[in-house]
Amino acid sequence: MRLIGLDPGLQHTGWGVIDVEGNRLRYVADGAVSTDRTRSLPDRLVQLFEGVAAVIARFTPDEAAVEETFVNKNPSSTLKLGQARGIVLLVPAQAGLVVGEYSPNLIKKTVVGGGLAGKAQVQMMVKTLLPGYTFSGADAADALAVAICHAHHRETARRVAVGSGAAGSRAAGSGAGNRGAARGAKRVGR
């Protein structure tokens, strides 16, 4: 199973691709899609769309995961981030991929063990969990953490579904923050 994690941003959207076999994770690639700050917002959103679409076409993931947006103090920045996140959700969905969504705290808790972990701790654990990964940038490391989180939660949802039938896939997603795994369990079973 190949997964892509996406960390949305208007200036830089990080992406990370991993392969998952059972509970084994293997690093494939990572990077960031960048937009030109001198261009208009619509043009930058097109750049983002095309860049994420190119990454998905190149690595052909089976599923995608996106970090949920947090609200910050600047409403204009929050709105722009929300627009970028909309593009980042649209592209894999349009490609027919299951798309999971995870809060920043759940990603940190899954990867590091604590929801208040700092960026340095997340980056260290990404390196530990993905042998062969060399730090290429904070956005890419965050995206790999999103993919790792999705791998963990989709496998948990799958095990629950196998153990308790179709009702298990719905029950697995009933907890807060596990909506992506629940969507994945439902869509994969079609």
Side-chain angles (χ1 to χ4, degrees), residues 16-106:
V17 180
I18 62 173
D19 284 339
V20 181
E21 277 186 48
N23 62 356
R24 291 182 29 208
L25 306 175
R26 187 177 65 80
Y27 167 78
V28 175
D30 66 51
V33 174
S34 298
T35 63
D36 182 351
R37 289 184 137 179
T38 64
R39 299 187 66 183
S40 69
L41 178 61
D43 288 344
R44 292 176 77 188
L45 293 174
V46 169
Q47 287 179 322
L48 183 57
F49 180 92
E50 291 172 347
V52 173
V55 170
I56 288 174
R58 178 176 175 199
F59 292 101
T60 62
D62 298 299
E63 294 184 10
V66 178
E67 182 173 339
E68 290 179 346
T69 303
F70 61 91
V71 178
N72 61 35
K73 293 178 183 177
N74 183 335
S76 177
S77 295
T78 300
L79 182 59
K80 287 177 184 175
L81 178 58
Q83 291 167 329
R85 187 171 176 278
I87 296 296
V88 170
L89 286 167
L90 172 67
V91 174
Q94 188 177 42
L97 302 180
V98 170
V99 179
E101 300 175 71
Y102 301 93
S103 71
N105 283 349
L106 181 61

Side-chain angles (χ1 to χ4, degrees), residues 1 11 15-16 53 78 102 122 129 175-176:
M1 165 83 40
Q11 183 64 32
W15 59 269
T78 300
Y102 301 93
V122 172
L129 294 169

